[in-house]
Amino acid sequence: MSRADLFRALGDATRLRMLALCCREELAVSELQEIVGMGQSTVSGHLAQLRTAGLVTARRDGAHTRYAAARPEGEEALVDLVATAPLPEGDALAMQRVLAERTSPTPEGLGSDYLPGRSWEALARTLLALLGPIRIADLGVGTGHLTSLLAAHARHVIAVDKDPAALARLPESIERRVGTLEDLPLKEREVDLVLLSQALHCVEDPIPTLRRCREALVGGGQIAVLDLAPHAHGWVRHRLGHKHLGFVDLGALLREAGFHDVTAEVVHVDRRTPAFTTVLAIGRK
Ligand SMILES: C[S@@+](CC[C@H](N)C(=O)[O-])C[C@H]1O[C@@H](n2cnc3c(N)ncnc32)[C@H](O)[C@@H]1O
């Protein structure tokens, strides 16, 4: 790169502003767009020219590419000149705002396509309202959030957990039964739906538990098991008491326990580490 090319790359007010910003902070295209108030193709075009001139470098960071100023050999003083000149006040303020947004929590939405007012909870409540007045046994309640959601629409909810403290957190309207998944405190043909959400992996031998669930269902009643696909995170054994590192074939387990009309599908793949995959298996008595 000749010095003339370098000066050509610098001979534009917007590129100079962008380089000055990249001297202070590593920035993504969307952040630069917000600061300089220009469209994506314009900003990307200017960045490409700065990169070709060796004045910025690009680094992949998750979904973003971040750009930082570079100092081409022999031309360090030139870049230092840009770096030390004060930023225009508007750019300095806009950069402050953009950097503050990085640390503020992203609004929760359905994945990346955030839409005001739309949330997983609202969606879950909407679907639950369509559930009808059925009797449900929720086995292994954890925080009780799901159990409480179910109780808002079901005819009756029986919550089972070995931990009395977990049951004590539940609303009064929910029937609580202290007991284990290995020796379920459920009567025969007592409920229309048995739910095991992230609980079956706590049982050494799942088949006897699933058979007992079947006995607790009325004819035609359903079981829904939400659990993990096979994974290699051994720490869940000692940290969370899991007995299984996911299940290879949840559907096959339901069939073996006597359920029919069995379906099993992946319902969620978490992109965040440790990146568990969730499987939903449903069967009918
Ligand atoms: C991960 S939490 C369940 C979360 C909840 N179902 C949900 O989806 O949000 C597991 C629950 O199962 C209970 N649990 C674990 N092993 C159990 C067992 N063998 N018998 C009864 N409850 C058990 C724990 O006390 C805990 O409340």
Side-chain angles (χ1 to χ4, degrees), residues 31-72:
E31 294 173 328
L32 279 164
Q33 268 177 256
E34 203 173 323
I35 300 170
V36 298
M38 291 180 188
Q40 194 238 318
S41 58
T42 309
V43 168
S44 295
H46 284 310
L47 278 172
Q49 290 188 55
L50 290 170
R51 258 183 101 175
T52 307
L55 289 164
V56 297
T57 55
R59 181 180 69 85
R60 195 94 195 129
D61 176 20
H64 298 284
T65 301
R66 297 194 185 279
Y67 295 86
R71 299 160 88 234

Side-chain angles (χ1 to χ4, degrees), residues 7-226:
F7 275 101
R8 240 189 305 280
L10 290 170
D12 176 276
T14 304
R15 283 199 290 278
L16 266 182
R17 278 171 77 195
M18 286 172 50
L19 181 61
L21 291 162
C22 291
C23 283
R24 284 161 175 83
E25 190 66 45
E26 205 182 27
L27 293 164
V29 174
S30 56
E31 294 173 328
L32 279 164
Q33 268 177 256
E34 203 173 323
I35 300 170
V36 298
M38 291 180 188
Q40 194 238 318
S41 58
T42 309
V43 168
S44 295
H46 284 310
L47 278 172
Q49 290 188 55
L50 290 170
R51 258 183 101 175
T52 307
L55 289 164
V56 297
T57 55
R59 181 180 69 85
R60 195 94 195 129
D61 176 20
H64 298 284
T65 301
R66 297 194 185 279
Y67 295 86
R71 299 160 88 234
E73 211 180 321
E75 305 293 355
E76 292 87 348
L78 202 59
V79 178
D80 290 344
L81 203 64
V82 179
T84 51
L87 282 180
E89 195 184 346
D91 285 2
L93 287 174
M95 183 150 104
Q96 260 178 31
R97 195 184 59 239
V98 160
L99 296 181
E101 274 168 20
R102 273 190 195 171
T103 49
S104 64
T106 331
E108 250 192 64
L110 306 185
S112 53
D113 50 349
Y114 170 72
L115 188 75
R118 190 174 60 170
S119 70
W120 284 114
E121 176 155 351
L123 201 63
R125 283 181 186 277
T126 306
L127 296 175
L128 282 170
L130 304 172
L131 194 65
I134 60 171
R135 292 158 300 172
I136 303 173
D138 185 19
L139 313 183
V141 297
T143 60
H145 194 62
L146 181 59
T147 326
S148 304
L149 281 176
L150 291 168
H153 296 285
R155 169 138 64 102
H156 186 61
V157 173
I158 302 168
V160 176
D161 206 289
K162 66 176 183 181
D163 178 8
L167 294 173
R169 286 192 291 264
L170 297 174
E172 289 288 314
S173 62
I174 295 171
E175 185 182 339
R176 311 115 195 245
R177 296 189 190 169
V178 178
T180 65
L181 298 172
E182 292 81 353
D183 185 15
L184 279 174
L186 292 175
K187 300 188 198 85
E188 279 191 21
R189 288 183 286 280
E190 200 176 9
V191 291
D192 305 290
L193 173 69
V194 171
L195 183 66
L196 279 151
S197 169
Q198 305 302 344
L200 193 61
H201 53 230
C202 296
V203 172
E204 200 76 65
D205 185 357
I207 296 297
T209 295
L210 293 174
R211 288 206 176 112
R212 280 285 296 117
C213 291
R214 192 173 170 280
E215 284 168 13
L217 284 167
V218 295
Q222 285 182 298
I223 187 168
V225 183
L226 207 53

